[in-house]
Every structure is written in structure tokens, then in C-alpha cells.
Amino acid sequence: MLKKDFWYDLPKELIAQEPANPRDSARLMVLRRSDDSIEHRIFHDLPDYLEAGDVLVINNSKVLPARLMGIKVPTGAVCELLLLRQVHGDTWECLARPGKRMQAGTHLTFGDGSLTAVVDETLPDGNKHVTFTYDTETLYEKLDEFGKMPLPPYITKQLEDQSQYQTVYAKELGSAAAPTAGLHFTPELLDRIRAKGVTIAEITLHVGLGTFRPVNEENIEDHEMHSEWYCIDHAASEAINAARANGHRVIAVGTTSCRTLEAVWATYGEIRPCSGNTSIFLYPGVELHAIDGLVTNFHLPESTLIMLISAFYGYEKTMEAYKVAVEQKYRFFSFGDAMLIL
């Protein structure tokens, strides 16, 4: 298939600039694969579509406030780093701006000067290896003090509260972007879901900025997917396998949860406790085995995310659902509304 097959027209005003308040007041489009029906509901209605014995798989990764504004020493020129991946110890792979002016040996300082860094090298893709020095026990404490959330470029409004870009169940630090389908959940909604006899299984996939990387190849099969680290523990594995063995459904919250489960299934032919890196690319023609349902947001045109949805729901039906969403003025992207595919 071609990249242009996944294009759709989206009015700019439908790109959500802030999350719904409360979180579970976002709209929910319900798509049934059995009869191709479409319902328009509110996200807090989600428990109506879940059954006792189902497993809801959530990604508990926590977003790093990884965007640092600083100055170069000794020139005082303004600079920016975005921490992408821990290489080892206090050395991180970073996106740097202005990149050409931050060559190896460049010294940087942030905030009150208690966080400093030196650029070690420039990588072939232009990213930098940067080593940090600080006066606290961990770098994460300094990121909490000086860092900002790395919001996607289509969100231009500043957050009133940085926690708005975290799920309420976020706990494992490491993502450069939020697993946004999970932003719709509240503690009360999770309690209602558990009260129905639904198990909530936590897995981890640290979302990389590659999730926003555009597909440049015209033939989508030529696209090289970014790699992300994941972990499934014994508790999650047992819950998922027990549900499947008893004829119940496994419903993934977000494309990150979906990619994790499908990557493990593709490797082992089952869900088992494991961790590693995945660059799995799910698009029409690739069969999904590990999930029976999916909660997800509305994604960018020509993105790998809309291609994943098309792999699960079907290409024609996905593009028709997006057309309906635009007509019905759903809110799109990270802070937008959601769909449930069953």
C-alpha cells in the first residue's frame, strides 16, 4: 500500500490543544467489527462494553519532563536538549537545538546552574550523546525541577499542569511521549472497571519520539520502524493468558500496548514474561493475534499509528470511521477523543 492511501483532510480546529476536563468526559466512538456498527458515546461509558473476565492492558510508562532549556558556556547562547534515550549512566542520546552549534566538547548549563552537561559526540542522524552532571541523587530529580513535557509539535498551547500529559497510572519513568489513549482514564473509572470483574494488567513500553516520525517512503512496506523498550511481567502475562484460556477478551489500551503484545506474540507465539526492544510495524496485511479489542485516539494522517488501526479494524472501515469522526467534529490527536474497536 502507498503512504497517500492513509491521508485524510482534517480541519485545524479539530486538533485538540488541551485534554478533556474531567479526563473521562472525552467522546468515545465505538466500532464493532462483527456488524460494522458505529456508536457515539462518552469515555466514561467504557465499562458498558466490558465484561467480567476481560483483561484491559494498560501501558504504565511515565513521561520524562525531558525538554531542557539552557545556555551554552561561555557564550550564553540559548540552547535546548530533548532527552530521548539513556545510553549508560548519566549519558543520554538527545535531540539538540541548534544542533550544528553544539559540537563535541560544548558545555551547557540549565536552571540555577546545578545541572550541567557536555556534548560527547554527534551521531550520524544528528542527535547527540550528552553527559550530565548534577548535585542531586538522580538526574530525574533535576528533570522534575527544570524540565518540561515534550509535547508534540501540533500542540501549541502550554500546559497549566504538567500532570495533564501523564496517565493517572504512570509509574515507570522512560517515555519521551505519553501513551495518549490512557489519558482518558480516571481513578474512579478504573475502579468501576474493576468492579465489573475486569482485570487491569500493567505492561511497560517506553514511547520514543519515533512515534511522531513521518513515513517518508511511498510504499509503506519500505518504512523502517523505530525501536522501543518494553517489559511484560509475570502478573500481566498470567492475567492475559488466563483470560484467553477461558474465552475472555484481551483489550489493549493504546497502540503502544498493542505493539508490545503483538511483538511478544510474533516472537514467541504466546504472551510470556519478557523484556526487550521492538520495532514491529503493524499495517494492513499483517495479522494481529494477541488482542481482541483496542482503545485508541484519532491519529495523524499517513502515520504508522493509523496504519496499525487499519491492520486491526480493516483499511476501508478505518478510513470511513475517520471520515465520520471529522463530520461529527471529534477532537483529534494526543489530547483528543477516543475510539473503542471490538
Side-chain angles (χ1 to χ4, degrees), residues 170-190:
K171 61 176 67 169
E172 301 294 338
L173 272 169
S175 278
T180 53
L183 294 178
H184 303 293
F185 289 87
T186 64
E188 295 77 17
L189 180 58
L190 292 168

Side-chain angles (χ1 to χ4, degrees), residues 71-77 107:
I71 58 173
K72 292 168 60 178
V73 179
T75 65
H107 287 262

Side-chain angles (χ1 to χ4, degrees), residues 72 77 97-103 106 108 128:
K72 292 168 60 178
R97 294 177 182 166
K100 291 182 178 179
R101 298 184 181 180
M102 280 192 269
Q103 299 304 316
T106 301
L108 312 169
K128 313 288 183 180

Side-chain angles (χ1 to χ4, degrees), residues 50-64:
L50 303 178
E51 302 168 358
D54 288 344
V55 171
L56 199 65
V57 182
I58 61 175
N59 179 8
N60 65 10
S61 185
K62 190 173 184 178
V63 185
L64 287 167

Side-chain angles (χ1 to χ4, degrees), residues 89-135:
D90 292 319
T91 299
W92 286 69
E93 180 180 345
C94 299
L95 180 68
R97 294 177 182 166
K100 291 182 178 179
R101 298 184 181 180
M102 280 192 269
Q103 299 304 316
T106 301
H107 287 262
L108 312 169
T109 183
F110 306 92
D112 59 7
S114 59
L115 174 63
T116 61
V118 61
V119 178
D120 300 322
E121 62 175 326
T122 299
L123 304 176
D125 61 2
N127 290 346
K128 313 288 183 180
H129 278 174
V130 178
T131 299
F132 292 90
T133 304
Y134 43 88
D135 61 0

Side-chain angles (χ1 to χ4, degrees), residues 223-243:
H223 176 70
E224 291 189 13
M225 197 70 173
H226 57 285
S227 180
E228 294 168 320
W229 183 86
Y230 70 86
C231 178
I232 298 179
D233 65 16
H234 285 274
S237 173
E238 289 179 2
I240 292 166
N241 290 326

Side-chain angles (χ1 to χ4, degrees), residues 258-259 262 280-284 286-288 304 307-309 311:
C258 174
R259 289 184 67 237
E262 294 297 336
I280 192 170
F281 183 19
L282 302 172
Y283 55 89
V286 177
E287 188 174 355
L288 277 63
T304 60
M307 294 171 190
L308 182 154
I309 306 307

